[in-house]
Amino acid sequence: RSSEAALKELVDNAWDADASNVWITLPDPLAKEAVVVRDDGSGMTALEIRGEYLNIASDKRTRTGERTIKHNRKIKGRKGIGKFAGLTIASRMELTTVARERFCTLLIDKKDLIENQNDLEAVPLPFSEGNANGANGGTIVVLSDLDSRLNFPNPDKLREILIYEYG
């Protein structure tokens, strides 16, 4: 619906990951810098990324229940598509996540998804993992090469949407 709604979907993912904090960095309009959404939630392991996060239309509630583990929040995700919300406003989405002393980085390029002739879940995506070296858990989503045909995310409108949803 809007760039702000797409970013709200990423905040919803952080909510479902039991994040206490979410930091959103919006560059100046028409700047070449990326939009960054960072949280201090539970993060994901390589197994969770491959088996759950990249599983399109996967309902987290059927796997883990209706509520989050740490904060007992009602799960917001329903259709398993919020993970791709960033690609509605950007051509590239880099996800870096830390969970249980391991980090994982995944790069999703919209062009690769569009040009692929196979099942979307069969697209080879650059993926790396390793020791987190004591880094705190959480997830960082970097959205780059923003689509200039769309409205640049407006900080005031985004704030309004988030306050309405989260108080």
Side-chain angles (χ1 to χ4, degrees), residues 148-166:
S148 60
R149 297 170 298 174
L150 300 175
N151 287 335
F152 194 84
N154 178 301
D156 293 329
K157 188 174 178 183
L158 177 59
R159 188 176 297 111
E160 181 181 319
I161 289 170
L162 294 175
I163 287 172
Y164 177 78
E165 183 71 23
Y166 294 101

Side-chain angles (χ1 to χ4, degrees), residues 82-145:
K83 64 182 112 304
F84 296 114
L87 291 175
T88 62
I89 64 171
S91 295
R92 294 170 53 96
M93 183 172 85
E94 182 179 41
L95 175 121
T96 302
T97 185
V98 174
R100 295 176 279 299
E101 300 296 321
R102 300 287 292 169
F103 84 87
C104 299
T105 299
L106 172 69
L107 180 61
I108 303 174
D109 190 314
K110 189 176 357 182
K111 184 179 84 172
D112 293 341
L113 298 179
I114 292 169
E115 292 176 355
N116 180 54
Q117 299 298 316
N118 301 318
D119 182 10
L120 192 57
E121 292 176 339
V123 176
L125 299 171
F127 185 90
S128 62
E129 61 181 302
N131 190 328
N133 296 321
N136 293 329
T139 300
I140 302 171
V141 177
V142 178
L143 305 171
S144 55
D145 298 333

Side-chain angles (χ1 to χ4, degrees), residues 4-16 22 24 35-37 39 53 82-87 89 93 95 141-143 166:
E4 296 83 11
L7 293 174
K8 182 210 164 280
E9 289 290 332
L10 296 175
V11 174
D12 288 348
N13 289 349
W15 171 272
D16 289 351
V22 179
I24 302 171
V35 171
V36 180
V37 179
D39 71 59
Y53 182 79
K83 64 182 112 304
F84 296 114
L87 291 175
I89 64 171
M93 183 172 85
L95 175 121
V141 177
V142 178
L143 305 171
Y166 294 101

